[in-house]
Amino acid sequence: MEFPAALFPSYFGAGPPREEGGPALAAGWGEHGRVLEGSPGRRQQAQPAFVPLRGGTGETWDPSEAAAVPVLPPSAGRWIPSPAPQDILYRNSVCRKLRAGRPGATLDFSKQLGHFFEDHPEDAFGSMGQLLHKNFYLGNSKLKRPARSSTIRMTALMKDIDRLEARRGCHRQHLASRLRWFSHLCRDWLFEVPLGVLADCLHEELLLQWSDLLFDDSLTGGALAWLPPSDTGSRTGRLVYPGGQAMNHLFFQDIVLEELPRARGSPAQFELSGRIRQVAAARVDGEDFVGVRSDYHCGVWRVPGRTRTAPAPLQVIRTDVPASCLTVSPHLPGELAVCTRSGTVYLWSIETGLQQLRHDPQTMFFRDHSPWRWSDFTAHPRVLSCADRTGLQCLDARAPKKCHFDLFKVGEEAGCQQGERVVLPMYLGRAHPSQYLVTTQFSMYVLDERLPLVPVLKWAHMMKAPPLFAHLMPGDPGRTHKVLLGTSRTQELLLLQYQGGSQSACQLAGAPQKLHSIAGCLQHLPTQLPHHHHLLQQRLGAPAAGLAAMLQQDGTCETMLVFQLSEAGDVFCQRLTHEAAHPPAPTSRDEATTAPDSSPLFKAPASSPLGLGTAALRYHRWLRALFRCCREPCKHSLPPSLSQRRLFTRKDLEGPMGPTALQRQVRQWLRQVMQEGGHIQRWEPMALQPPALPQPPEPEGGPDLLSTRLTAAWSGDWEQWWEDRTSFSISQRQRALRERRRRQKRARGRRSLSASFTSSLTYQSELSELSDGGPQLLSPDRPHVLSQEGSPPASSLLPGSPPASPAPDEALLSSQSLQCRGIPKERRKTLRDYLSVWAEAPPEPPELPGSQASQLCIPSSQSQLSSASQTRRKRPRMGF
Amino acid sequence: SSHEHKLNFKKSKEACLSYIQDAMLQKQWRRAAEFLTFYVEALEKDYSREAIGPSEMIWRIGTEILCHHSRSSMKEFNCFMEQMKTLGVKRYLKVCLEHVFHLLCNGQIDEAYQNLSLAESWRFGEQTAIQDKEMKLIQAYRGLLDYYSWSKQKNILLEHGPDGFADLSVEQEMHSCFRKAAVNLKEIIKVPGVWDLFVKCYVDLLEFYGDHNEACQVLNEYAYNSKFPANPNAHVYLYQFLKRQGESKKSLISALKILHDIVPSHELMIDFNTMLQKSKKRKKRRLGLEVIFAVLDYAGWKENVKAWSCLARQVKQIVISEKHLDWIKQEWNSRKDWWPAFHFSRYLAKKNWQENKSLSYEKALVAGILLGKDCKYFKYVSHQGCKAQVKRFRVLKKFVNRHNPVYLRISG
């Protein structure tokens, strides 16, 4: 552990930061900082040779692909994006103009409150709604005399609300007198939760969400870890990352290092009880220890060095206050440092448990409101660093109160700017035992424990967001150490190189280099359908959630692999190769990289015999899988809610077996006929006759539903037609419902069913599956019936196509058929009731059934008030 | 309207800047240079009040591009710098300093000296605090270059021998260089900061002319002034100076003791330990044990044979003499819960044995004494050593077995 014989000159002052300023785009360029005599020993012969603090020569690393490439298939299950600014900000053109002079964002409080009422009507108005539902009328028609005295027509009120929405930001709100009257009347008693309390909670949550949006420090450290191969010969490492819809599954995936890293086998998976915020790993004595932090739980796993041994969970701790940091000791097995947002720092040992080192809700050097704390290890296994936004201190775990020293202060000591705050400290022990990295939103600092408070290296990193992730790749003696900095929301990745620390003073080597971000690959992908493009844009633009990297020596060729995790759970990788052997002809390299728009990713490289590169193939596969797994849930994209319960399980409704031979044959015909563009008129399974000439459609007595609808649509007054239909069907449905309720009451009297069936979110999906699956049960002569009904049989029989007519067959409702599907006796009747209601409903336009029908009986958070409001409000009447 | 025009201009300026930034971060220097030529227009209507205005941007970006651009030359660089110096009064000294640094890194010492002299003579109204600092640095670097030419002339004189009639002019020039260097160097090391290079040069000058008192004072001030950062080098320079002066052991030890207090992991601690071990005083030997134990606490010393052999030697001495076992016991007390896992695990035994036999020998000796003959590390290494028929390992095994009761006393 040598200390440099001479350090770069610098001034040292104490006190608060003097330098004003903020983020500046070019602040990191063009400075040497200071110079120092390079090798003082050899001065005798010649002139002194000077080396600069910044701007020395570094190594050249060239990206080998035009974009980052997916390593793993997209995670199954739809990703729920975290809220974007437009979700919670008040946005209105009128309003923006009015407030143009005022700085700051306005949170859209009323919209969010409205969402709450729509999403949780039971919690918001449950009992009052039940009491009053007789007095609220949702229909369009005029109320009759006796009812009028005790019933309000809600449709008018709804219209007023819609109008209010359109007039938002307008000064003259007296126009909505009816609304004001209504709210004045019932503000005090209508709500289940007192409105004031609710609003307070909501406002608090909104502020929290907004501050998270501005800067989410819970992700600090990153949730991606790379466990390198245990012995140098092996080429299999492990990637540890979170996944699943709620990011609460922990995966350990074996990765084989080839030209592009490839997953081998299926990952070891653990389900945790919270969203994983951070994954930290360190190798001690040939074993990897992986620490995992979620808000209220921290856990540690041991991964034995031998390949194909399963990772073993060791211990879990629960915290009352969310934890903000978890780091794993690189010195002693099974030791970790934990910090919580209450300002407590613990040393956590698997054997001896938790030891509290410090408890101080105040920040260390000056007052700052942030409860964020961080802790990491230092060169001395018993000395831990402990950080908040104002600086770093080192404490001795054996006497934490007495033995401590200041390592870094946001102030004049380090030449900080005003408003600068610590974002991420990291122990650089693998590069040099006493070095430390500290990043702030403006700069990165390298510190040496042996010379506290004075950074041995400082550089303005010019990143657009604060770097929350950092990764170190130590270099061999004589080579540079590589540090990667990563941001979350902007997905930036910056590669820095530095050297020195023991024999020579620390120097920044070479120019910083930007690496590919995940979203950067979008421009290289082949043109997509608009909705796919949008989906991709959203998916690839998800904030980064972690960063890991490794150096790999393969004969003479040296490569760097950089993994990046996104909040959607995707892991992308990019490869850089080191140019050491042949110093490049400078101009040619310059030219080669000059055109940024070229997309060699999807162009066939001359060397590849397959036509497309490995990267392109990866992308094709990934895109296909993404669109496949996104298509399924999109069809009924109802956000899951807590009240989700099933009426019938999918298994209940499945057919007894797979498609029979007959069904297969019929399907084959269908496909064949469709290819030929012909018709099928009769289903003659045994003897397929050549299709007869199509006959002109015979005019029937009255135009059927479809024709009238199409005619209406052509003439432009389709809406009118639809209104007529719905108002007609509403009364019809109401009748059916009332009937059903009566029957239900009778049934309830006999035996209690309430436990066995409740409203179901998946009802609609099951139902459509049911009608999809219907034809599968057909006996050979059934198709006649279908074709007689006038709906085109080809489309209704196409597997996977939406049902043209949701009318269920009587065959479906027969007891035998229900029985053979394994539906319990007591449920059969309910199902029949459901379906009979459905049978009376009019055929709906192909776009609508999903959303509208589901809103009929399901509380949904979709705020399509316009068309669905009437049916929506009726929900309490249905009373499931 | 003019407001809109301003706004648009600002927008396009920002866009241009971000293109430049993007190109530079991808090392596309030529592309960045092309964009920069457009950005120069931003100078014309500079309405900004940001911390870094367009002129500074152009200086910074331009310098960086010229440092990396494949077709740039030193001449172009100098030309660009001269232009940049005229662009802003407040930044003049900083640009000068950076220009000098660039010249120095490219070995153009004389040009750098000229530039420093020019910058030093620059006067413009009242100086801000930052400019004052920059001016001091300029003077200090000039002093440094003066020092280099002094030492060059000194070498010429020394080569010709003390009695040679080397021409007087060289000697005169050397003295004038000394005066110039001394004045400037003396100035900057008064200000709190890290001035390793300047202090070393200044002390060298003083020592040559026999002003040891002044040198000692300068070094003491640099090491012990509380306004200066706790720089280990300051103590190292003082120690080295004292050693050169042939000062007493006592003063050397006290200098190193302070270094030990600041940086227990410093490499001089090995020398310190040897020095203390040789001492006749019990207290010093006790301190020696403390020092070497503290050194081995640090991850950076984990595999250092020298440190381990120092510890092994001292521990062995104590065990053989059977005096002061309580010293070991005291040191061991605060370490016994983590040293076994940190130093003496089975994994490390294997690794050390494979990589460095003598390291494993020294560590096994210490492990055997501190943890007894049943300790994993000792068992593995002595077993391997006996298997490989290395004599010293057999002796080691015997030694530890004989002194096993010591372990019980230490751990008890």
Side-chain angles (χ1 to χ4, degrees), chain A residues 108-130:
Chain A
D108 196 348
F109 174 75
S110 53
K111 190 170 99 186
Q112 294 298 329
L113 199 61
H115 279 324
F116 175 78
F117 293 148
E118 283 170 19
D119 294 347
H120 306 276
E122 285 294 337
D123 302 330
F125 319 100
S127 47
M128 273 302 162
Q130 244 152 42

Side-chain angles (χ1 to χ4, degrees), chain B residues 55-123:
Chain B
S55 60
E56 181 163 354
M57 296 263 193
I58 289 169
W59 162 56
R60 285 180 180 277
I61 292 169
T63 315
E64 192 74 29
I65 292 174
L66 283 173
C67 282
H68 295 280
H69 200 287
S70 48
R71 286 199 212 139
S72 79
S73 65
M74 206 58 204
K75 198 178 149 200
E76 269 175 335
F77 190 90
N78 290 338
C79 185
F80 178 75
M81 277 306 197
E82 290 309 325
Q83 279 181 344
M84 287 301 115
K85 282 176 197 173
T86 62
L87 221 56
V89 174
K90 278 189 187 165
R91 227 177 17 255
Y92 178 83
L93 289 177
K94 184 158 187 154
V95 177
C96 282
L97 206 54
E98 284 296 329
H99 188 193
V100 167
F101 291 157
H102 192 80
L103 290 170
L104 286 177
C105 289
N106 285 284
Q108 304 189 347
I109 310 284
D110 297 337
E111 288 86 343
Y113 191 81
Q114 278 168 22
N115 268 296
L116 283 170
S117 311
L118 258 175
E120 204 185 344
S121 62
W122 181 77
R123 292 286 176 276

Side-chain angles (χ1 to χ4, degrees), chain A residues 265-449:
Chain A
S266 55
Q269 187 179 345
F270 295 88
E271 189 182 344
L272 312 187
S273 62
R275 184 198 169 102
I276 296 170
R277 305 282 185 181
Q278 190 198 346
V279 175
R283 175 163 293 180
V284 192
D285 283 3
E287 285 184 320
D288 287 299
F289 287 85
V290 178
V292 175
R293 167 170 68 87
S294 65
D295 276 346
Y296 294 97
H297 294 92
C298 295
V300 57
W301 272 255
R302 180 173 46 210
V303 186
R306 299 178 301 277
T307 42
R308 283 182 218 176
T309 37
L314 295 180
Q315 221 169 59
V316 178
I317 54 166
R318 202 179 67 81
T319 57
D320 289 336
V321 187
S324 63
C325 153
L326 181 68
T327 46
V328 188
S329 168
H331 306 303
L332 294 171
E335 273 200 2
L336 300 99
V338 187
C339 299
T340 67
R341 287 181 174 270
S342 61
T344 321
V345 182
Y346 296 98
L347 176 64
W348 174 20
S349 163
I350 299 298
E351 277 164 21
T352 58
L354 289 171
Q355 182 198 351
Q356 182 177 323
L357 301 184
R358 174 198 280 262
H359 174 75
D360 187 6
Q362 303 293 321
T363 44
M364 287 184 288
F365 301 111
F366 54 87
R367 197 171 297 207
D368 187 273
H369 66 274
S370 171
W372 175 87
R373 297 289 184 277
W374 195 264
S375 175
D376 207 338
F377 291 82
T378 66
H380 192 300
R382 285 292 127 205
V383 176
L384 270 77
S385 75
C386 121
D388 57 34
R389 296 270 176 240
T390 66
L392 264 88
Q393 258 185 1
C394 291
L395 343 147
D396 194 319
R398 293 167 296 186
K401 292 233 163 58
K402 279 184 286 176
C403 300
H404 55 81
F405 66 91
D406 301 343
L407 182 60
F408 178 81
K409 245 188 224 182
V410 172
E412 183 64 22
E413 289 88 350
C416 294
Q417 293 178 28
Q418 281 175 15
E420 197 163 344
R421 294 289 183 270
V422 174
V423 173
L424 173 73
M426 188 171 83
Y427 175 49
L428 297 178
R430 288 186 300 142
H432 188 282
S434 54
Q435 273 174 354
Y436 232 86
L437 174 80
V438 173
T439 62
T440 66
Q441 71 269 48
F442 304 135
S443 300
M444 60 82 79
Y445 301 84
V446 176
L447 299 158
D448 194 311
E449 276 172 42

Side-chain angles (χ1 to χ4, degrees), chain A residues 138-275:
Chain A
L138 292 161
N140 259 341
S141 53
K142 284 258 162 62
L143 283 166
K144 290 275 150 48
R145 186 40 83 176
R148 221 150 111 188
S149 56
S150 62
T151 311
I152 321 174
R153 209 164 65 99
M154 294 307 286
T155 22
L157 217 54
M158 302 300 301
K159 268 184 199 149
D160 271 356
I161 289 177
D162 288 348
R163 249 180 254 145
L164 192 71
E165 192 71 28
R167 264 208 317 262
R168 238 182 180 179
C170 174
H171 296 301
R172 299 191 182 182
Q173 296 203 340
H174 64 265
L175 296 166
S177 60
R178 196 200 312 245
L179 276 181
R180 195 172 297 183
W181 159 81
F182 183 75
S183 83
H184 187 75
L185 200 66
C186 58
R187 186 167 44 203
D188 296 333
W189 49 263
L190 185 62
F191 304 95
E192 204 93 326
V193 188
L195 200 54
V197 178
L198 181 68
D200 275 350
C201 291
L202 182 74
H203 195 251
E204 202 176 303
E205 175 65 22
L206 261 180
L207 282 180
L208 209 75
Q209 291 275 353
W210 176 239
S211 67
D212 269 3
L213 259 180
L214 291 178
F215 176 53
D216 186 4
D217 59 11
S218 66
L219 297 170
T220 310
L224 184 66
W226 168 253
L227 314 180
S230 47
D231 42 343
T232 42
S234 169
R235 302 183 65 90
T236 310
R238 268 201 181 115
L239 213 51
V240 190
Y241 56 94
Q245 258 179 316
M247 294 292 256
N248 64 333
H249 289 256
L250 182 69
F251 294 98
F252 293 81
Q253 172 74 59
D254 281 351
I255 299 283
V256 184
L257 300 169
E258 287 168 358
E259 190 195 344
L260 276 170
R262 178 173 60 82
R264 192 183 65 190
S266 55
Q269 187 179 345
F270 295 88
E271 189 182 344
L272 312 187
S273 62
R275 184 198 169 102

